[in-house]
Amino acid sequence: MAGILTRIVTVLMLLSLTACGDDRPEQITQLQQLDSQRLQKLSQQLDDGQIRNAMLLTQYTRILASERPDLQPLMTEMAKDGGSKGPMFSSLKQRLSDAGSASNFPGLDEQLQELKNIFQATDPSQYNDMLSDQVNVVADMSNGKLARVNAVSKETSTVANNAENFGPGSQLVGNPTYGHWTSGANGTSFWEWYGMYAMFSNLFNRPIYYDNWSRTRDYSYYNDVGRYRYTSPKQSTSQDQLYQRTKKRFDSQGKRFDSPYAKSRTGSTALSRQSISTPKSSSSIGSGSKFRSNYAKDSSFRNSSFRTSRGISRGK
């Protein structure tokens, strides 16, 4: 009897859904097209020198490489983010490709949300803000010769956030485009750079541990503003899992451990309206909802800021 009732309820729900209409598949198709168009336009803008911070990054890396020949390999790598071949742009391309497969997601809501995130991340103003971390890494390495962008001075930021100096490249720590957290033999995690970015470790000459970084990190655009938009579902889940493992280890010792994103650091200046309206990074920590395949992110479904009568802005 219970089985019959269950089937009846299921049929009624399906009939109700059909009657009401589900426009999510149409929204997904539209957003895939819009995201592809926005990504192509952003690529052109980067290569044409229309993104201010991308231009500055190209100029800054060239200047520092000429003054510090020992840094030339690292500056050459950093300069890639000034064009459409850089790791940040490539990450967006990969995410759009992954978002095209419904099998990567537990449901249409999650697939739709990822496409909305990509739509926002490919906005030229927000992408320009995102590149402020890379520009400021190079600026800080110039000993004051090159000006920071979209952020207060390093000294002011350090004092305001009671932050520790984690050395050159510290704005990129935690950003999965440039490295990852790896577990040591004692269960603690430390930051490991990808490829040529490992030169940052040589410059600082001591490891950056996750638990220490979480408590005393300084402001960065990625970690405090843009993480929600510039993190893939798989990366988001990896971040949450690391937090949960570390918290469990601290709990077993009778100690408290807060997420590195539980409290946003101060230090941003002159950010675009698009960045200011971005959901806070801390809102996606701790939910632990899983995506199918290799992808995952939080289960909360946030309404996008762009809508039409069908729920999607057609852009400009």
Side-chain angles (χ1 to χ4, degrees):
M1 184 67 178
I4 296 176
L5 288 175
T6 300
R7 287 196 292 271
I8 292 175
V9 170
T10 301
V11 171
L12 290 175
M13 289 178 64
L14 290 173
L15 290 174
S16 176
L17 181 62
T18 303
C20 297
D22 186 356
D23 65 351
R24 288 176 300 173
E26 181 181 354
Q27 291 186 44
I28 287 171
T29 298
Q30 290 179 2
L31 263 177
Q32 287 174 327
Q33 296 173 351
L34 287 171
D35 286 356
S36 179
Q37 294 168 6
R38 298 249 295 195
L39 201 64
Q40 184 176 1
K41 183 177 180 180
L42 179 60
S43 173
Q44 191 66 48
Q45 290 173 316
L46 285 166
D47 293 338
D48 288 348
Q50 297 178 18
I51 306 296
R52 180 178 180 272
N53 284 343
M55 290 180 60
L56 282 177
L57 182 60
T58 301
Q59 296 169 4
Y60 278 21
T61 52
R62 186 183 300 121
I63 292 171
L64 194 58
S66 65
E67 295 185 354
R68 294 276 307 275
D70 59 309
L71 295 178
Q72 185 170 355
L74 179 57
M75 291 301 102
T76 298
E77 196 70 20
M78 290 286 297
K80 292 180 180 179
D81 268 322
S84 62
K85 305 298 182 182
M88 286 303 305
F89 187 86
S90 297
S91 175
L92 288 175
K93 287 177 62 178
Q94 185 61 53
R95 285 174 61 191
L96 179 57
S97 175
D98 294 339
S101 177
S103 63
N104 288 331
F105 304 88
L108 296 179
D109 282 349
E110 292 81 6
Q111 184 181 12
L112 183 60
Q113 186 61 58
E114 169 65 349
L115 286 165
K116 288 180 177 182
N117 285 339
I118 296 171
F119 184 91
Q120 295 287 354
T122 51
D123 176 84
S125 296
Q126 193 163 171
Y127 195 85
N128 179 72
D129 290 342
M130 185 277 302
L131 288 176
S132 62
D133 279 345
Q134 292 82 342
V135 172
N136 291 335
V137 164
V138 182
D140 290 347
M141 295 173 71
S142 73
N143 296 319
K145 293 181 179 179
L146 301 172
R148 275 189 162 203
V149 297
N150 301 112
V152 298
S153 70
K154 182 178 181 179
E155 294 75 14
T156 301
S157 183
T158 300
V159 172
N161 295 304
N162 194 25
E164 182 177 343
N165 179 13
F166 288 105
S170 58
Q171 292 94 328
L172 303 181
V173 173
N175 187 328
T177 302
Y178 303 98
H180 68 284
W181 296 104
T182 185
S183 296
N186 60 354
T188 61
S189 299
F190 61 91
W191 184 252
E192 186 173 4
W193 297 97
Y194 292 137
M196 194 60 66
Y197 300 108
M199 286 187 67
F200 285 127
S201 294
N202 298 334
L203 294 171
F204 192 49
N205 202 30
R206 69 182 175 91
I208 300 173
Y209 291 101
Y210 177 72
D211 51 354
N212 188 35
W213 174 82
S214 297
R215 293 191 302 269
T216 61
R217 69 173 180 84
D218 206 346
Y219 165 83
S220 75
Y221 179 84
Y222 172 81
N223 289 307
D224 293 296
V225 183
R227 191 175 71 94
Y228 184 77
R229 300 297 189 202
Y230 290 99
T231 306
S232 73
K234 180 181 178 181
Q235 292 165 345
S236 180
T237 292
S238 179
Q239 292 172 350
D240 182 65
Q241 289 173 342
L242 174 59
Y243 161 64
Q244 297 293 349
R245 288 197 306 271
T246 307
K247 185 177 185 301
K248 184 177 180 180
R249 178 166 58 85
F250 271 67
D251 287 345
S252 68
Q253 301 170 359
K255 300 178 182 178
R256 174 176 174 175
F257 181 80
D258 293 326
S259 162
Y261 313 110
K263 178 182 177 182
S264 294
R265 275 57 168 179
T266 61
S268 63
T269 63
L271 293 181
S272 67
R273 175 180 55 82
Q274 290 85 343
S275 286
I276 294 173
S277 64
T278 297
K280 295 298 182 182
S281 296
S282 59
S283 58
S284 64
I285 281 291
S287 55
S289 177
K290 305 296 182 183
F291 271 67
R292 292 197 182 103
S293 185
N294 291 325
Y295 304 94
K297 83 190 290 287
D298 61 292
S299 59
S300 58
F301 184 73
R302 297 169 178 80
N303 293 325
S304 172
S305 59
F306 48 95
R307 299 173 184 270
T308 65
S309 59
R310 287 197 172 272
I312 300 177
S313 167
R314 297 192 175 273
K316 295 182 180 179

